Amino acid sequence: MVQRKIIIDTDPGQDDAVAILLALASPEEIDVLGITCVAGNVPLELTSKNARIICELAGKPDVPVYAGCDRPLGRNLVTAEHVHGKTGLNGPVLPDPQMPLQETHAVDFIIETLRAEPPGTVTLCPLGPLTNIATALNKAPDIAERVQEIVLMGGAYFEVGNITPTAEFNIYVDPQAAEIAFKSGIDIVVMPLDVTHKALVTPDRNEAFRNLETPVGTAVAQMTDFFERFDKEKYGSDGAPLHDPCVTAYLLRPDLFSGRHINVEIETGSELTMGMTVADWWGVTDRPPNALFINDLDADGFFSLLTERLARL
Ligand code: RIB
Ligand code: CA
């Protein structure tokens, strides 16, 4: 399989952490050029600390980690400590990072990397609000045609919202940024709640992580033990939805996923539906398709892949 060069843009977050671990456990298929951090689940200072904690947990302290935007383009920051805990990585007790944060701003790293790598060879993998991505596109419009594709976690259609009745968290936090990304003309693959709510860490699946009996397996099991309570209370679901790892798993095994190439637009006008991903799933408009909107996965295949790869760390 051809190695795919990626930039992970993230707001760790326990599920971001698992997505990063899955990528770092798959060097034959994925070359992580860098990890760029954004304010989202918790403030930027914590997301950029947590990303380094995860790199060190994976035994990969050489992965460059960059701090990016500390607030959305045009709205106040909304965080999700109620889901992820005060640190954003509640659950396991992990040591503070020893590896440094890079000096370069995340937005400049994204721009410089896309300009340096051959066109169409770098995939952007946003796992949080799209503030860094949109800021890079605003600052350097020339990079849009150089991006291979964007594979992101965000949005919802049939599942509707998890932070408001109509909006998913990543899009809701920075809807203006999301609008810029979805109107950029870049090929986009969307992992919305419609599919991530089918990637549930059931007790058996979490035991499989714990039974790896490795620091990574134990930490992931402890993360999901903490992370699951929000969704179990809200949705009565049978475990934590592993939202962000769907992005990494898609890079490794796209055959595990299915969806439709449709038009997706972002609500940025009405406060009532702010951040809603208006997905034309039924093709009732003449708006041109701009995204592969994933709505299903082979959950057993996903967890077999994830568990096997985590065992490698
Ligand atoms: O709505 C789920 C998304 O919001 C995930 O990326 C989670 O990490 C939070 O950022
Ligand atoms: Ca996230």
Side-chain angles (χ1 to χ4, degrees), residues 86-278:
K86 191 157 178 46
T87 72
L89 271 188
N90 285 47
V93 177
L94 297 170
D96 285 350
Q98 299 304 309
M99 63 187 281
L101 200 55
Q102 298 298 310
E103 290 296 315
T104 305
H105 189 283
V107 169
D108 294 327
F109 168 73
I110 291 168
I111 294 168
E112 290 161 14
T113 302
L114 286 166
R115 286 176 172 165
E117 295 291 339
T121 64
V122 176
T123 296
L124 301 180
C125 298
L127 308 178
L130 290 155
T131 316
N132 286 342
I133 306 302
T135 303
L137 289 168
N138 284 341
K139 189 172 180 181
D142 61 288
I143 65 173
E145 61 189 14
R146 302 182 68 90
V147 179
Q148 180 174 12
E149 67 180 343
I150 292 174
V151 184
L152 68 84
M153 191 278 143
Y157 183 58
F158 294 101
E159 279 295 287
V160 286
N162 62 357
I163 185 78
T164 73
T166 58
E168 176 278 327
F169 179 79
N170 288 342
I171 308 300
Y172 176 72
V173 170
D174 199 340
Q176 283 77 14
E179 182 176 52
I180 289 166
F182 278 80
K183 288 189 172 174
S184 66
I186 300 170
D187 290 341
I188 295 184
V189 180
V190 183
M191 293 289 164
L193 298 179
D194 302 60
V195 64
T196 68
H197 278 181
K198 297 175 182 174
L200 298 178
V201 187
T202 61
D204 289 349
R205 288 165 175 168
N206 210 31
E207 271 320 291
F209 296 149
R210 212 183 308 276
N211 292 340
L212 292 176
E213 296 183 339
T214 61
V216 166
T218 302
V220 168
Q222 292 171 337
M223 283 183 208
T224 50
D225 282 340
F226 180 88
F227 172 61
E228 72 177 9
R229 70 206 200 297
F230 172 78
D231 289 83
K232 288 178 90 168
E233 280 166 28
K234 176 169 183 164
Y235 296 98
S237 52
D238 190 20
L242 279 187
H243 306 288
D244 296 335
C246 288
V247 169
T248 317
Y250 178 83
L251 302 177
L252 296 168
R253 287 280 311 278
D255 59 294
L256 292 175
F257 297 86
S258 60
R260 283 184 189 175
H261 196 230
I262 61 172
N263 178 270
V264 179
E265 308 243 342
I266 310 297
E267 174 64 74
T268 57
S270 157
E271 276 303 331
L272 180 63
T273 53
M274 183 62 70
M276 180 177 187
T277 44
V278 183

